[in-house]
Amino acid sequence: MEKNYDRYFAPSLREARKRIKKDIETIRFEFPENLIGLVKNKKYLIKTYGCQGNEADSEKIAGILENLGFSETTQEEEADLILFNTCAIRENAESRVFGELGRVKSYKKHNPDLLLGICGCMPQEERVFNIIKEKYPYIDLVFGTHNIHKLGEYLYDAYLNKEKVVEVFSEEGKIVEGIPTKRAHERKAWVNIMYGCDEFCTYCIVPYTRGKERSRSFADIIEEVRELAKEGYQEVTLLGQNVNAYGKDLNINYTFADLLNDLWEIPIPRIRFTTSHPRDLDDATIQALAKGGNLMPHLHLPVQSGSNRILKKMNRKYTKEEYLEKVAKLKDLVPGISITTDIIVGFPGETDEDFEETLDLVQKVDFEGAFTFIFSPREGTPAAKYQDDLDSKIKKERLHRLNKLINEGYLRGNQRFEGETVKVLVEGPSQKNPELLSGYTEHNKLVNFEGDQSLVGKIVDVKIEKAYTWHLRGIIVENHS
Ligand code: SAH
Ligand code: SF4
Ligand code: F3S
């Protein structure tokens, strides 16, 4: 334990890299009774960055805080606890948070009781952890991705005993079931099916920040989805860094496709999942998707690059040809399926020819959307040490050319729905124009249309009048209540 800290545990990159073969225990979380309602008249604000995994974690954090007696606020000025749930995937994700940490410090002047905390993937990185410790000593609470369930204890120490709490574990712990959850949406829910990642793509920090791949028991997942269906949820998104590897660590001969087939029978209108790894996407999963029903006709299938040479250097374990083969199968068995992807440009050593291969693949697949990124070296990952002598101007040009092609695909993917009637799960007022309602179709397309607030949370029929690159404009046809 370090001087000045009452609770201190620092992460280690070496530990985070380790994969120990052992069964992961599942425990049931019981909220400590002495902590329920401990805090009076205090407000919290959580700022969430990064992937859906972090959004799901923030819902658990919120659940714990509400049990402690906190209530939520959206106003920084009135918060008694500001917690940053952070992402480490690229450098710009991190610099944004460092900027914010500097900015919110001033609130402490007005509210000396204000607690500032950081959690999620950034503190899991040894380098970042040390920066937080040295440059941001006024941060009261630092914890990671493996110990969210201990937040009640941490706040007890930090808040009531005025102690500084710094506890980041590198080794993943047990699977903790039953953490209270305050869901952000009323009709859409995240459901973790697994945690961690064992892929070790050479550019990626996630296997270090999230630990070993470990699946929840299918009985727990099915029970959670059943419960959500009973509560009136319309859509569930199954979460994992590589959902197609679901169950492999459990040695129970039950795969992701088996899970989809079981969930297919539950009366909940929509099931989605993210993220799929192309190598592990198997025929049984494609066949499950082909059954339709509540399994939505959209697949996010990150390809990262179209060059076999680069894919190999990325440790993605598939070739361009294998990827295209899976896409062909998907399009054949699930007619009309929308396929989206993630692509990295400027990976170390990427030549013009490699990049052309990526453009060629984009054209061949006809993606209907993509998240595109310039490679960002992450300390501790193998690719951070690869020689990277490509000019940043060239990387930007490549990104620009790629985005142009991707946007054409976005528009084409939207245009195919002009004149069609589609089902839209209404989320609320459109962000750009609050006079309109907006929601997503089964193919995951954003639709704006005029309609009454009472439709929020329902699935309605909308006739598409016009397609734009980023959204569809439609007119309501009929209301299914
Ligand atoms: N588990 C998911 C994705 C997780 S990260 C998967 O395997 O597909 C989301 C996306 O961020 C990745 O698909 C990749 O395109 C991008 N990404 C990850 N690490 C990156 C890095 N170091 N630089 C740039 N982009 C990165
Ligand atoms: Fe990162 Fe690869 Fe794991 Fe996705 S599959 S989280 S890109 S290591
Ligand atoms: Fe970011 Fe961690 Fe998710 S690094 S993308 S928040 S797993």
Side-chain angles (χ1 to χ4, degrees), residues 89-90 203 241 275 302 304 316 342 344 373-374 376 378:
I89 203 82
R90 281 169 294 275
Y203 50 83
Q241 292 300 340
T275 308
Q304 314 300 358
R316 290 290 288 182
D342 292 348
I344 297 176
F373 312 101
I374 290 178
S376 170
R378 310 312 297 136

Side-chain angles (χ1 to χ4, degrees), residues 363-376:
Q363 256 154 344
K364 289 202 166 109
V365 177
D366 204 9
F367 289 114
E368 299 198 348
F371 297 115
T372 56
F373 312 101
I374 290 178
F375 167 74
S376 170

Side-chain angles (χ1 to χ4, degrees), residues 215-265:
S215 303
R216 283 177 73 194
S217 97
F218 62 84
D220 284 329
I221 299 167
I222 291 169
E223 180 56 30
E224 185 174 347
V225 176
R226 276 220 180 93
E227 207 41 55
L228 289 163
K230 260 195 236 153
E231 290 169 24
Y233 279 84
Q234 305 278 341
E235 180 173 308
V236 153
T237 303
L238 310 173
L239 297 182
Q241 292 300 340
N242 173 9
V243 292
N244 303 90
Y246 173 79
K248 289 188 179 166
D249 56 311
L250 297 174
N251 299 318
I252 50 166
N253 212 3
Y254 184 97
T255 64
F256 182 59
D258 293 324
L259 181 65
L260 288 183
N261 284 320
D262 282 344
L263 297 177
W264 183 75
E265 293 180 8

Side-chain angles (χ1 to χ4, degrees), residues 284-338:
T285 299
I286 299 176
Q287 276 151 14
L289 288 179
K291 293 198 305 189
N294 59 8
L295 304 176
M296 294 292 101
H298 165 237
L299 186 69
H300 188 65
L301 195 62
V303 67
Q304 314 300 358
S305 169
S307 151
N308 287 338
R309 211 175 61 81
I310 296 293
L311 286 170
K312 198 158 196 300
K313 281 177 82 179
M314 289 176 160
N315 191 29
R316 290 290 288 182
K317 306 176 203 111
Y318 54 83
T319 61
K320 178 186 188 183
E321 293 71 28
E322 284 161 352
Y323 185 91
L324 287 170
E325 221 173 277
K326 294 208 177 177
V327 166
K329 223 179 249 177
L330 275 162
K331 290 192 171 179
D332 188 29
L333 290 176
V334 194
I337 190 169
S338 166

Side-chain angles (χ1 to χ4, degrees), residues 243-441:
V243 292
N244 303 90
Y246 173 79
K248 289 188 179 166
D249 56 311
L250 297 174
N251 299 318
I252 50 166
N253 212 3
Y254 184 97
T255 64
F256 182 59
D258 293 324
L259 181 65
L260 288 183
N261 284 320
D262 282 344
L263 297 177
W264 183 75
E265 293 180 8
I266 295 180
I268 189 155
R270 293 180 168 196
I271 293 186
R272 303 186 185 278
F273 51 86
T274 197
T275 308
S276 283
H277 191 296
R279 188 211 44 198
D280 292 329
L281 174 71
D282 58 7
D283 286 354
T285 299
I286 299 176
Q287 276 151 14
L289 288 179
K291 293 198 305 189
N294 59 8
L295 304 176
M296 294 292 101
H298 165 237
L299 186 69
H300 188 65
L301 195 62
V303 67
Q304 314 300 358
S305 169
S307 151
N308 287 338
R309 211 175 61 81
I310 296 293
L311 286 170
K312 198 158 196 300
K313 281 177 82 179
M314 289 176 160
N315 191 29
R316 290 290 288 182
K317 306 176 203 111
Y318 54 83
T319 61
K320 178 186 188 183
E321 293 71 28
E322 284 161 352
Y323 185 91
L324 287 170
E325 221 173 277
K326 294 208 177 177
V327 166
K329 223 179 249 177
L330 275 162
K331 290 192 171 179
D332 188 29
L333 290 176
V334 194
I337 190 169
S338 166
I339 301 176
T340 55
T341 199
D342 292 348
I343 295 171
I344 297 176
V345 302
F347 187 80
E350 185 188 70
T351 62
D352 276 337
E353 291 74 42
D354 293 320
F355 179 61
E356 291 298 331
E357 291 280 349
T358 299
L359 295 180
D360 178 63
L361 176 121
V362 168
Q363 256 154 344
K364 289 202 166 109
V365 177
D366 204 9
F367 289 114
E368 299 198 348
F371 297 115
T372 56
F373 312 101
I374 290 178
F375 167 74
S376 170
R378 310 312 297 136
E379 193 176 300
T381 65
K385 294 205 197 85
Y386 296 171
Q387 192 171 340
D388 178 13
D389 33 34
L390 197 64
D391 201 79
S392 85
K393 207 172 127 229
I394 296 180
K395 291 183 189 169
K396 283 188 192 139
E397 271 167 22
R398 285 186 187 164
L399 184 69
H400 187 75
R401 269 183 76 195
L402 174 64
N403 283 345
K404 198 162 161 279
L405 203 59
I406 291 291
N407 291 347
E408 288 167 15
Y410 256 113
L411 183 60
R412 265 199 307 278
N414 280 344
Q415 278 168 338
R416 69 185 172 109
F417 293 98
E418 276 185 352
E420 302 276 314
T421 296
V422 293
K423 295 203 178 304
V424 176
L425 170 53
V426 188
E427 297 210 345
S430 151
Q431 280 185 345
K432 292 233 171 84
N433 178 357
E435 309 264 287
L436 298 175
L437 290 176
S438 80
Y440 287 87
T441 70

Side-chain angles (χ1 to χ4, degrees), residues 49-54 86-89 121 145 205-206 209-210 241:
Y49 302 81
C51 63
Q52 293 94 337
N54 256 13
T86 60
C87 172
I89 203 82
C121 287
T145 57
I205 195 71
V206 173
T209 63
R210 294 273 171 178
Q241 292 300 340

Side-chain angles (χ1 to χ4, degrees), residues 30-38:
E30 299 271 344
F31 207 92
E33 264 187 32
N34 64 323
L35 298 182
I36 294 178
L38 185 82

Side-chain angles (χ1 to χ4, degrees), residues 156-198:
Y156 184 93
D157 288 349
Y159 213 77
L160 296 176
N161 296 343
K162 304 272 181 239
E163 289 171 359
K164 183 162 168 144
V165 173
V166 175
E167 195 160 270
V168 181
F169 303 129
S170 293
E171 195 192 327
E172 63 287 329
K174 301 168 179 152
I175 290 184
V176 188
E177 291 292 344
I179 300 180
T181 304
K182 187 187 181 221
R183 298 196 189 264
H185 302 273
E186 277 181 22
R187 292 287 171 258
K188 276 179 26 168
W190 309 118
V191 172
N192 290 105
I193 64 166
M194 59 205 298
Y195 305 98
C197 182
D198 281 353

